[in-house]
Amino acid sequence: MTDPAIAPLAEAVDTAAMKAEAIPQISETTEITPDQGYDIQAASILRRVDRGEKRIGVKMGFTSRAKMVQMGIDDMIWGRLTDGMIVEDGESISMADYVHPRAEPEIAFLLRKPLAAPVTAAEAMAAVEAVAPAIEIIDSRYRDFKFSLADVVADNCSSSGIVVGAWQSVDADLTNLGMILEINGRPRQIGSSAAILGNPARSLVAAARLSTAAGEPLEAGWIVMAGGATAAEALSVGDYVRNTVQRLGTVGFSVTG
Ligand code: OOG
Ligand code: MG
């Protein structure tokens, strides 16, 4: 299909997210390219903005080998974050609002200055106001959490929630910080910030490059989620999830029915 109907496909992923009801992969019925996936994503975000949500940044995906291997996709992807996705540190989420949520340990950047490509890693880091330990709650709207590259892009890269811990000044060297994702006190994923493109600053450079290419360069005050350092863990009712990042501290949330 050369010219898929972007609007109805955007409505389908957006409605699936609102109702927390899984839908079949778009690619099962409609051939879409990754570029068309990004058009669907942009249109789905406009629907959120029309409902009053505000853009607050960008999330990077498949920036680590562990994530690529878990999902079987080895291209970097990016999605758009809105304020409707914020889960406060320590808050509870309700399982009823999700299809099949997973959590992954991440690092978040807060920008002090706008960032348009091309930038070096040093220039990108100079635009950073603060960094924080973070957890991304991903929730594919597709059945069985299975998708093609174009499908996941259309579904805003499974973006569902972001939990960001206390912001820290950028004094720490971010290249090799230990990261532990615990559920109910048990370590479930252990990794390092080095898993994120060798250095999370490279994820920020990529975010600047990809969002500039899309005509939406990164803005001051925006958050950039660098991508999961490890595979994601499926969530269940009763879980308390915590990510501890060496030198940056801890962030967590719990899951109710
Ligand atoms: C896609 C989102 C990937 C990451 O951090 O790599 C992502 C998915 O795994 O469903 O958020
Ligand atoms: Mg992620």
Side-chain angles (χ1 to χ4, degrees), residues 59-63 67 71 77 104 106 136 138 145 147 152 157-158 227-228:
K59 67 76 82 62
M60 296 302 300
F62 302 136
T63 49
K67 280 290 303 179
M71 303 315 296
I77 56 175
E104 52 196 19
E106 302 215 7
E136 184 176 21
I138 52 171
F145 224 114
F147 41 68
V152 69
C157 307
S158 310

Side-chain angles (χ1 to χ4, degrees), residues 229-248:
T230 71
E233 285 287 325
L235 299 178
S236 307
V237 172
D239 283 349
Y240 175 67
V241 185
R242 192 160 80 143
N243 175 26
T244 302
V245 182
Q246 185 185 0
R247 303 180 69 171
L248 299 186

